[in-house]
Amino acid sequence: QPKMTPEQINEMVAKLAARMQANPDDMQGWLMLGRSYKTLGRYDDAVQAYAKAEKLINESPDLLASYAETIAMAGGKGLAGKPRQLVEKALKLDPTHGHSLFLAGAAAMEAGDNKKGIAYWEALLPQVEPGSEIDQMLRSGLDKMKQAK
């Protein structure tokens, strides 16, 4: 299958955005647009698209974590505020959700709450492949948090 050019991808996303203006109640479409913008690094646009699908997002830990991450990337201010609230909501739906545990640990670390950060990341460790890049990163972060306690 031939690879799509960046221009073709941008054109497809622009068509989807236009379709969403004509169908503002299409939650799945807004999600798709949000994901597309996020992939393209257009975080502010992604946040706006995700916001239109919040009703649907609030039911899914995966979507809540992705939305939280996107807001943090758009704002450049870390996970404080709404991103952290979204992650907490995701963990209420699924206390073992990997992406949410990761973000919750990072948010706790940012806030200087090493005890909470350690708890989140220690809960995540059994879910990652031993020796993998994420495993090593988590263990390094845990060591730093434990030393700073």
Side-chain angles (χ1 to χ4, degrees):
Q1 193 167 349
K3 282 193 168 193
M4 292 183 69
T5 66
E7 292 78 20
Q8 289 172 313
I9 293 169
N10 284 328
E11 188 178 314
M12 284 178 61
V13 172
K15 284 181 184 172
L16 177 59
R19 194 176 88 211
M20 294 318 306
Q21 296 307 318
N23 300 294
D25 295 330
D26 179 1
M27 298 278 171
Q28 291 293 339
W30 285 114
L31 278 177
M32 188 183 307
L33 185 59
R35 286 185 185 120
S36 299
Y37 282 146
K38 184 179 179 193
T39 301
L40 294 173
R42 293 174 57 183
Y43 303 118
D44 290 329
D45 292 331
V47 167
Q48 289 177 19
Y50 276 139
K52 305 247 190 206
E54 240 179 279
K55 191 172 167 186
L56 196 61
I57 287 170
N58 284 331
E59 299 169 8
S60 164
D62 286 335
L63 295 174
L64 284 162
S66 182
Y67 187 25
E69 186 176 62
T70 304
I71 292 170
M73 293 165 99
K77 295 183 178 99
L79 293 158
K82 184 164 182 163
R84 190 170 185 166
Q85 292 166 1
L86 293 169
V87 169
E88 288 169 2
K89 193 182 289 188
L91 288 172
K92 281 187 181 125
L93 293 173
D94 179 1
T96 65
H97 187 255
H99 192 184
S100 297
L101 285 170
F102 176 79
L103 293 173
M109 189 192 284
E110 278 178 10
D113 189 346
N114 291 327
K115 189 174 180 183
K116 258 190 182 174
I118 289 167
Y120 287 128
W121 281 7
E122 283 183 343
L124 177 57
L125 265 180
Q127 296 183 41
V128 302
E129 185 180 329
S132 66
E133 193 175 324
I134 185 78
D135 179 70
Q136 292 171 18
M137 194 269 311
L138 287 173
R139 289 181 190 283
S140 171
L142 282 166
D143 288 344
K144 285 179 188 158
M145 284 188 280
K146 286 176 181 174
Q147 289 169 7
K149 264 187 11 179

mmCIF file of all heavy atoms in Angstrom, residues 60-106:
data_model
loop_
_atom_site.group_PDB
_atom_site.id
_atom_site.type_symbol
_atom_site.label_atom_id
_atom_site.label_comp_id
_atom_site.label_asym_id
_atom_site.label_seq_id
_atom_site.Cartn_x
_atom_site.Cartn_y
_atom_site.Cartn_z
ATOM 1 N N SER A 60 -14.536 6.194 29.540
ATOM 2 C CA SER A 60 -13.436 5.325 29.125
ATOM 3 C C SER A 60 -12.108 5.752 29.741
ATOM 4 O O SER A 60 -11.627 6.856 29.477
ATOM 5 C CB SER A 60 -13.314 5.366 27.597
ATOM 6 O OG SER A 60 -12.078 4.854 27.172
ATOM 7 N N PRO A 61 -11.466 4.862 30.521
ATOM 8 C CA PRO A 61 -10.146 5.197 31.064
ATOM 9 C C PRO A 61 -9.120 5.514 29.965
ATOM 10 O O PRO A 61 -8.311 6.426 30.132
ATOM 11 C CB PRO A 61 -9.742 3.952 31.845
ATOM 12 C CG PRO A 61 -11.006 3.235 32.133
ATOM 13 C CD PRO A 61 -11.939 3.567 31.002
ATOM 14 N N ASP A 62 -9.173 4.787 28.853
ATOM 15 C CA ASP A 62 -8.230 5.046 27.753
ATOM 16 C C ASP A 62 -8.378 6.469 27.231
ATOM 17 O O ASP A 62 -7.397 7.180 27.026
ATOM 18 C CB ASP A 62 -8.450 4.071 26.586
ATOM 19 C CG ASP A 62 -7.948 2.670 26.872
ATOM 20 O OD1 ASP A 62 -7.040 2.513 27.709
ATOM 21 O OD2 ASP A 62 -8.483 1.725 26.259
ATOM 22 N N LEU A 63 -9.629 6.865 27.000
ATOM 23 C CA LEU A 63 -9.884 8.194 26.451
ATOM 24 C C LEU A 63 -9.582 9.288 27.465
ATOM 25 O O LEU A 63 -9.036 10.335 27.114
ATOM 26 C CB LEU A 63 -11.330 8.295 25.967
ATOM 27 C CG LEU A 63 -11.695 7.380 24.793
ATOM 28 C CD1 LEU A 63 -13.186 7.445 24.494
ATOM 29 C CD2 LEU A 63 -10.874 7.710 23.558
ATOM 30 N N LEU A 64 -9.908 9.047 28.730
ATOM 31 C CA LEU A 64 -9.607 10.027 29.774
ATOM 32 C C LEU A 64 -8.098 10.268 29.873
ATOM 33 O O LEU A 64 -7.643 11.407 29.959
ATOM 34 C CB LEU A 64 -10.157 9.558 31.128
ATOM 35 C CG LEU A 64 -11.666 9.705 31.308
ATOM 36 C CD1 LEU A 64 -12.156 8.835 32.455
ATOM 37 C CD2 LEU A 64 -12.045 11.161 31.527
ATOM 38 N N ALA A 65 -7.325 9.188 29.836
ATOM 39 C CA ALA A 65 -5.865 9.317 29.928
ATOM 40 C C ALA A 65 -5.306 10.050 28.711
ATOM 41 O O ALA A 65 -4.441 10.924 28.831
ATOM 42 C CB ALA A 65 -5.212 7.941 30.073
ATOM 43 N N SER A 66 -5.818 9.723 27.536
ATOM 44 C CA SER A 66 -5.349 10.377 26.314
ATOM 45 C C SER A 66 -5.698 11.864 26.327
ATOM 46 O O SER A 66 -4.882 12.718 25.950
ATOM 47 C CB SER A 66 -5.963 9.702 25.093
ATOM 48 O OG SER A 66 -5.487 10.291 23.905
ATOM 49 N N TYR A 67 -6.899 12.187 26.776
ATOM 50 C CA TYR A 67 -7.346 13.588 26.875
ATOM 51 C C TYR A 67 -6.460 14.338 27.874
ATOM 52 O O TYR A 67 -5.990 15.445 27.594
ATOM 53 C CB TYR A 67 -8.810 13.601 27.286
ATOM 54 C CG TYR A 67 -9.512 14.945 27.280
ATOM 55 C CD1 TYR A 67 -9.095 16.001 26.473
ATOM 56 C CD2 TYR A 67 -10.637 15.144 28.067
ATOM 57 C CE1 TYR A 67 -9.769 17.214 26.472
ATOM 58 C CE2 TYR A 67 -11.321 16.357 28.065
ATOM 59 C CZ TYR A 67 -10.884 17.383 27.276
ATOM 60 O OH TYR A 67 -11.558 18.587 27.275
ATOM 61 N N ALA A 68 -6.197 13.731 29.021
ATOM 62 C CA ALA A 68 -5.349 14.361 30.040
ATOM 63 C C ALA A 68 -3.952 14.643 29.486
ATOM 64 O O ALA A 68 -3.407 15.743 29.657
ATOM 65 C CB ALA A 68 -5.246 13.458 31.272
ATOM 66 N N GLU A 69 -3.401 13.658 28.810
ATOM 67 C CA GLU A 69 -2.062 13.811 28.221
ATOM 68 C C GLU A 69 -2.045 14.925 27.177
ATOM 69 O O GLU A 69 -1.119 15.726 27.119
ATOM 70 C CB GLU A 69 -1.663 12.468 27.600
ATOM 71 C CG GLU A 69 -0.268 12.383 27.076
ATOM 72 C CD GLU A 69 0.029 10.991 26.577
ATOM 73 O OE1 GLU A 69 -0.631 10.528 25.620
ATOM 74 O OE2 GLU A 69 0.922 10.359 27.159
ATOM 75 N N THR A 70 -3.101 14.992 26.375
ATOM 76 C CA THR A 70 -3.188 16.011 25.327
ATOM 77 C C THR A 70 -3.281 17.418 25.925
ATOM 78 O O THR A 70 -2.606 18.342 25.451
ATOM 79 C CB THR A 70 -4.401 15.734 24.415
ATOM 80 O OG1 THR A 70 -4.289 14.405 23.892
ATOM 81 C CG2 THR A 70 -4.465 16.715 23.264
ATOM 82 N N ILE A 71 -4.089 17.576 26.975
ATOM 83 C CA ILE A 71 -4.193 18.883 27.633
ATOM 84 C C ILE A 71 -2.825 19.287 28.189
ATOM 85 O O ILE A 71 -2.401 20.438 28.051
ATOM 86 C CB ILE A 71 -5.253 18.856 28.757
ATOM 87 C CG1 ILE A 71 -6.647 18.688 28.156
ATOM 88 C CG2 ILE A 71 -5.181 20.137 29.594
ATOM 89 C CD1 ILE A 71 -7.729 18.414 29.183
ATOM 90 N N ALA A 72 -2.135 18.337 28.815
ATOM 91 C CA ALA A 72 -0.814 18.629 29.381
ATOM 92 C C ALA A 72 0.167 19.040 28.280
ATOM 93 O O ALA A 72 0.953 19.979 28.458
ATOM 94 C CB ALA A 72 -0.281 17.419 30.141
ATOM 95 N N MET A 73 0.108 18.363 27.143
ATOM 96 C CA MET A 73 1.014 18.683 26.035
ATOM 97 C C MET A 73 0.673 20.045 25.431
ATOM 98 O O MET A 73 1.570 20.809 25.061
ATOM 99 C CB MET A 73 0.962 17.578 24.981
ATOM 100 C CG MET A 73 1.532 16.273 25.494
ATOM 101 S SD MET A 73 1.084 14.877 24.444
ATOM 102 C CE MET A 73 2.565 14.730 23.480
ATOM 103 N N ALA A 74 -0.617 20.350 25.351
ATOM 104 C CA ALA A 74 -1.028 21.629 24.769
ATOM 105 C C ALA A 74 -0.634 22.789 25.674
ATOM 106 O O ALA A 74 -0.164 23.824 25.204
ATOM 107 C CB ALA A 74 -2.542 21.639 24.536
ATOM 108 N N GLY A 75 -0.829 22.599 26.970
ATOM 109 C CA GLY A 75 -0.569 23.687 27.905
ATOM 110 C C GLY A 75 0.887 23.852 28.270
ATOM 111 O O GLY A 75 1.320 24.927 28.675
ATOM 112 N N GLY A 76 1.648 22.780 28.160
ATOM 113 C CA GLY A 76 3.061 22.826 28.512
ATOM 114 C C GLY A 76 3.291 23.083 29.999
ATOM 115 O O GLY A 76 4.369 23.483 30.403
ATOM 116 N N LYS A 77 2.277 22.830 30.806
ATOM 117 C CA LYS A 77 2.383 23.114 32.236
ATOM 118 C C LYS A 77 2.297 21.844 33.068
ATOM 119 O O LYS A 77 1.969 21.891 34.250
ATOM 120 C CB LYS A 77 1.290 24.093 32.665
ATOM 121 C CG LYS A 77 1.443 25.468 32.033
ATOM 122 C CD LYS A 77 0.387 26.418 32.556
ATOM 123 C CE LYS A 77 0.564 27.797 31.960
ATOM 124 N NZ LYS A 77 -0.293 28.080 30.848
ATOM 125 N N GLY A 78 2.530 20.703 32.469
ATOM 126 C CA GLY A 78 2.477 19.459 33.221
ATOM 127 C C GLY A 78 1.058 18.960 33.414
ATOM 128 O O GLY A 78 0.140 19.341 32.697
ATOM 129 N N LEU A 79 0.903 18.122 34.426
ATOM 130 C CA LEU A 79 -0.358 17.418 34.634
ATOM 131 C C LEU A 79 -1.241 18.014 35.724
ATOM 132 O O LEU A 79 -2.267 17.446 36.067
ATOM 133 C CB LEU A 79 -0.057 15.949 34.959
ATOM 134 C CG LEU A 79 0.550 15.165 33.791
ATOM 135 C CD1 LEU A 79 1.297 13.940 34.284
ATOM 136 C CD2 LEU A 79 -0.526 14.780 32.793
ATOM 137 N N ALA A 80 -0.867 19.162 36.252
ATOM 138 C CA ALA A 80 -1.667 19.789 37.307
ATOM 139 C C ALA A 80 -3.001 20.263 36.736
ATOM 140 O O ALA A 80 -3.126 20.546 35.544
ATOM 141 C CB ALA A 80 -0.908 20.966 37.913
ATOM 142 N N GLY A 81 -4.002 20.325 37.603
ATOM 143 C CA GLY A 81 -5.308 20.841 37.200
ATOM 144 C C GLY A 81 -6.160 19.795 36.504
ATOM 145 O O GLY A 81 -6.272 18.662 36.956
ATOM 146 N N LYS A 82 -6.748 20.183 35.389
ATOM 147 C CA LYS A 82 -7.691 19.300 34.692
ATOM 148 C C LYS A 82 -7.065 17.965 34.287
ATOM 149 O O LYS A 82 -7.711 16.927 34.448
ATOM 150 C CB LYS A 82 -8.302 20.006 33.481
ATOM 151 C CG LYS A 82 -9.354 19.141 32.804
ATOM 152 C CD LYS A 82 -10.244 19.896 31.865
ATOM 153 C CE LYS A 82 -11.286 18.934 31.297
ATOM 154 N NZ LYS A 82 -12.399 19.628 30.707
ATOM 155 N N PRO A 83 -5.825 17.942 33.760
ATOM 156 C CA PRO A 83 -5.265 16.633 33.407
ATOM 157 C C PRO A 83 -5.262 15.664 34.594
ATOM 158 O O PRO A 83 -5.658 14.502 34.456
ATOM 159 C CB PRO A 83 -3.848 16.955 32.933
ATOM 160 C CG PRO A 83 -3.939 18.348 32.434
ATOM 161 C CD PRO A 83 -4.929 19.019 33.342
ATOM 162 N N ARG A 84 -4.861 16.154 35.750
ATOM 163 C CA ARG A 84 -4.818 15.288 36.932
ATOM 164 C C ARG A 84 -6.226 14.823 37.315
ATOM 165 O O ARG A 84 -6.432 13.672 37.686
ATOM 166 C CB ARG A 84 -4.146 16.025 38.089
ATOM 167 C CG ARG A 84 -3.858 15.112 39.266
ATOM 168 C CD ARG A 84 -2.992 15.778 40.284
ATOM 169 N NE ARG A 84 -2.646 14.824 41.317
ATOM 170 C CZ ARG A 84 -1.701 15.017 42.189
ATOM 171 N NH1 ARG A 84 -0.978 16.114 42.148
ATOM 172 N NH2 ARG A 84 -1.445 14.115 43.112
ATOM 173 N N GLN A 85 -7.217 15.713 37.198
ATOM 174 C CA GLN A 85 -8.605 15.340 37.505
ATOM 175 C C GLN A 85 -9.100 14.240 36.561
ATOM 176 O O GLN A 85 -9.780 13.309 36.983
ATOM 177 C CB GLN A 85 -9.518 16.562 37.401
ATOM 178 C CG GLN A 85 -9.265 17.606 38.466
ATOM 179 C CD GLN A 85 -9.943 18.942 38.137
ATOM 180 O OE1 GLN A 85 -10.626 19.079 37.124
ATOM 181 N NE2 GLN A 85 -9.734 19.924 39.003
ATOM 182 N N LEU A 86 -8.741 14.364 35.289
ATOM 183 C CA LEU A 86 -9.152 13.351 34.314
ATOM 184 C C LEU A 86 -8.509 12.000 34.626
ATOM 185 O O LEU A 86 -9.156 10.951 34.521
ATOM 186 C CB LEU A 86 -8.782 13.802 32.893
ATOM 187 C CG LEU A 86 -9.545 15.018 32.368
ATOM 188 C CD1 LEU A 86 -8.910 15.540 31.089
ATOM 189 C CD2 LEU A 86 -11.013 14.694 32.143
ATOM 190 N N VAL A 87 -7.241 12.027 35.019
ATOM 191 C CA VAL A 87 -6.535 10.785 35.359
ATOM 192 C C VAL A 87 -7.174 10.147 36.593
ATOM 193 O O VAL A 87 -7.382 8.927 36.637
ATOM 194 C CB VAL A 87 -5.025 11.054 35.585
ATOM 195 C CG1 VAL A 87 -4.342 9.853 36.204
ATOM 196 C CG2 VAL A 87 -4.357 11.437 34.267
ATOM 197 N N GLU A 88 -7.512 10.958 37.581
ATOM 198 C CA GLU A 88 -8.164 10.427 38.781
ATOM 199 C C GLU A 88 -9.512 9.801 38.438
ATOM 200 O O GLU A 88 -9.885 8.748 38.970
ATOM 201 C CB GLU A 88 -8.316 11.534 39.827
ATOM 202 C CG GLU A 88 -6.989 11.904 40.464
ATOM 203 C CD GLU A 88 -7.031 13.171 41.318
ATOM 204 O OE1 GLU A 88 -8.121 13.773 41.471
ATOM 205 O OE2 GLU A 88 -5.960 13.560 41.820
ATOM 206 N N LYS A 89 -10.239 10.429 37.516
ATOM 207 C CA LYS A 89 -11.524 9.880 37.068
ATOM 208 C C LYS A 89 -11.308 8.527 36.371
ATOM 209 O O LYS A 89 -12.054 7.576 36.596
ATOM 210 C CB LYS A 89 -12.199 10.872 36.118
ATOM 211 C CG LYS A 89 -13.649 10.575 35.829
ATOM 212 C CD LYS A 89 -14.254 11.564 34.848
ATOM 213 C CE LYS A 89 -14.448 12.923 35.464
ATOM 214 N NZ LYS A 89 -15.204 13.835 34.577
ATOM 215 N N ALA A 90 -10.258 8.446 35.559
ATOM 216 C CA ALA A 90 -9.944 7.191 34.859
ATOM 217 C C ALA A 90 -9.623 6.086 35.861
ATOM 218 O O ALA A 90 -10.059 4.941 35.704
ATOM 219 C CB ALA A 90 -8.768 7.394 33.904
ATOM 220 N N LEU A 91 -8.871 6.428 36.908
ATOM 221 C CA LEU A 91 -8.506 5.418 37.908
ATOM 222 C C LEU A 91 -9.698 4.999 38.763
ATOM 223 O O LEU A 91 -9.708 3.885 39.289
ATOM 224 C CB LEU A 91 -7.347 5.918 38.778
ATOM 225 C CG LEU A 91 -5.999 5.964 38.055
ATOM 226 C CD1 LEU A 91 -4.953 6.658 38.908
ATOM 227 C CD2 LEU A 91 -5.544 4.566 37.639
ATOM 228 N N LYS A 92 -10.710 5.861 38.880
ATOM 229 C CA LYS A 92 -11.938 5.443 39.563
ATOM 230 C C LYS A 92 -12.669 4.392 38.732
ATOM 231 O O LYS A 92 -13.259 3.466 39.267
ATOM 232 C CB LYS A 92 -12.847 6.646 39.825
ATOM 233 C CG LYS A 92 -12.413 7.462 41.024
ATOM 234 C CD LYS A 92 -13.421 8.542 41.363
ATOM 235 C CE LYS A 92 -12.915 9.330 42.558
ATOM 236 N NZ LYS A 92 -12.825 10.754 42.323
ATOM 237 N N LEU A 93 -12.625 4.558 37.409
ATOM 238 C CA LEU A 93 -13.260 3.581 36.511
ATOM 239 C C LEU A 93 -12.476 2.273 36.478
ATOM 240 O O LEU A 93 -13.056 1.203 36.412
ATOM 241 C CB LEU A 93 -13.373 4.151 35.091
ATOM 242 C CG LEU A 93 -14.307 5.332 34.898
ATOM 243 C CD1 LEU A 93 -14.187 5.884 33.484
ATOM 244 C CD2 LEU A 93 -15.752 4.929 35.181
ATOM 245 N N ASP A 94 -11.150 2.378 36.485
ATOM 246 C CA ASP A 94 -10.280 1.194 36.436
ATOM 247 C C ASP A 94 -8.988 1.487 37.197
ATOM 248 O O ASP A 94 -8.062 2.083 36.650
ATOM 249 C CB ASP A 94 -9.964 0.822 34.983
ATOM 250 C CG ASP A 94 -9.043 -0.390 34.872
ATOM 251 O OD1 ASP A 94 -8.660 -0.971 35.917
ATOM 252 O OD2 ASP A 94 -8.713 -0.759 33.730
ATOM 253 N N PRO A 95 -8.916 1.054 38.465
ATOM 254 C CA PRO A 95 -7.737 1.340 39.292
ATOM 255 C C PRO A 95 -6.441 0.719 38.788
ATOM 256 O O PRO A 95 -5.364 1.078 39.263
ATOM 257 C CB PRO A 95 -8.112 0.759 40.666
ATOM 258 C CG PRO A 95 -9.581 0.557 40.642
ATOM 259 C CD PRO A 95 -9.969 0.381 39.201
ATOM 260 N N THR A 96 -6.525 -0.201 37.832
ATOM 261 C CA THR A 96 -5.315 -0.843 37.304
ATOM 262 C C THR A 96 -4.957 -0.359 35.900
ATOM 263 O O THR A 96 -4.081 -0.930 35.251
ATOM 264 C CB THR A 96 -5.476 -2.383 37.277
ATOM 265 O OG1 THR A 96 -6.514 -2.722 36.352
ATOM 266 C CG2 THR A 96 -5.801 -2.930 38.649
ATOM 267 N N HIS A 97 -5.621 0.677 35.415
ATOM 268 C CA HIS A 97 -5.391 1.165 34.048
ATOM 269 C C HIS A 97 -3.958 1.686 33.910
ATOM 270 O O HIS A 97 -3.574 2.662 34.559
ATOM 271 C CB HIS A 97 -6.423 2.251 33.708
ATOM 272 C CG HIS A 97 -6.356 2.687 32.290
ATOM 273 N ND1 HIS A 97 -5.803 3.891 31.915
ATOM 274 C CD2 HIS A 97 -6.737 2.068 31.148
ATOM 275 C CE1 HIS A 97 -5.875 4.000 30.602
ATOM 276 N NE2 HIS A 97 -6.438 2.913 30.117
ATOM 277 N N GLY A 98 -3.174 1.047 33.063
ATOM 278 C CA GLY A 98 -1.750 1.328 32.942
ATOM 279 C C GLY A 98 -1.398 2.768 32.593
ATOM 280 O O GLY A 98 -0.572 3.394 33.260
ATOM 281 N N HIS A 99 -1.994 3.298 31.539
ATOM 282 C CA HIS A 99 -1.682 4.657 31.095
ATOM 283 C C HIS A 99 -2.019 5.661 32.200
ATOM 284 O O HIS A 99 -1.266 6.606 32.464
ATOM 285 C CB HIS A 99 -2.442 4.963 29.806
ATOM 286 C CG HIS A 99 -2.002 6.203 29.092
ATOM 287 N ND1 HIS A 99 -2.631 6.657 27.973
ATOM 288 C CD2 HIS A 99 -1.020 7.107 29.328
ATOM 289 C CE1 HIS A 99 -2.062 7.780 27.549
ATOM 290 N NE2 HIS A 99 -1.079 8.073 28.361
ATOM 291 N N SER A 100 -3.146 5.424 32.867
ATOM 292 C CA SER A 100 -3.571 6.326 33.939
ATOM 293 C C SER A 100 -2.651 6.223 35.153
ATOM 294 O O SER A 100 -2.337 7.236 35.784
ATOM 295 C CB SER A 100 -5.018 6.031 34.343
ATOM 296 O OG SER A 100 -5.875 6.273 33.247
ATOM 297 N N LEU A 101 -2.222 5.006 35.501
ATOM 298 C CA LEU A 101 -1.270 4.849 36.607
ATOM 299 C C LEU A 101 0.030 5.584 36.303
ATOM 300 O O LEU A 101 0.605 6.230 37.172
ATOM 301 C CB LEU A 101 -0.988 3.366 36.874
ATOM 302 C CG LEU A 101 -2.086 2.590 37.590
ATOM 303 C CD1 LEU A 101 -1.784 1.094 37.564
ATOM 304 C CD2 LEU A 101 -2.252 3.085 39.019
ATOM 305 N N PHE A 102 0.475 5.475 35.049
ATOM 306 C CA PHE A 102 1.703 6.162 34.656
ATOM 307 C C PHE A 102 1.548 7.674 34.822
ATOM 308 O O PHE A 102 2.379 8.346 35.432
ATOM 309 C CB PHE A 102 2.078 5.821 33.212
ATOM 310 C CG PHE A 102 3.284 6.577 32.746
ATOM 311 C CD1 PHE A 102 4.554 6.173 33.119
ATOM 312 C CD2 PHE A 102 3.152 7.719 31.968
ATOM 313 C CE1 PHE A 102 5.678 6.888 32.717
ATOM 314 C CE2 PHE A 102 4.272 8.439 31.570
ATOM 315 C CZ PHE A 102 5.535 8.017 31.944
ATOM 316 N N LEU A 103 0.449 8.219 34.273
ATOM 317 C CA LEU A 103 0.216 9.663 34.355
ATOM 318 C C LEU A 103 0.002 10.118 35.794
ATOM 319 O O LEU A 103 0.486 11.180 36.190
ATOM 320 C CB LEU A 103 -0.983 10.056 33.483
ATOM 321 C CG LEU A 103 -0.794 9.899 31.971
ATOM 322 C CD1 LEU A 103 -2.112 10.160 31.238
ATOM 323 C CD2 LEU A 103 0.311 10.786 31.444
ATOM 324 N N ALA A 104 -0.701 9.315 36.590
ATOM 325 C CA ALA A 104 -0.932 9.674 37.994
ATOM 326 C C ALA A 104 0.390 9.722 38.758
ATOM 327 O O ALA A 104 0.610 10.623 39.574
ATOM 328 C CB ALA A 104 -1.889 8.671 38.640
ATOM 329 N N GLY A 105 1.274 8.775 38.478
ATOM 330 C CA GLY A 105 2.592 8.785 39.114
ATOM 331 C C GLY A 105 3.395 10.008 38.712
ATOM 332 O O GLY A 105 4.042 10.650 39.546
ATOM 333 N N ALA A 106 3.333 10.348 37.431
ATOM 334 C CA ALA A 106 4.054 11.527 36.939
ATOM 335 C C ALA A 106 3.469 12.801 37.562
ATOM 336 O O ALA A 106 4.211 13.705 37.950
ATOM 337 C CB ALA A 106 3.989 11.590 35.415
#
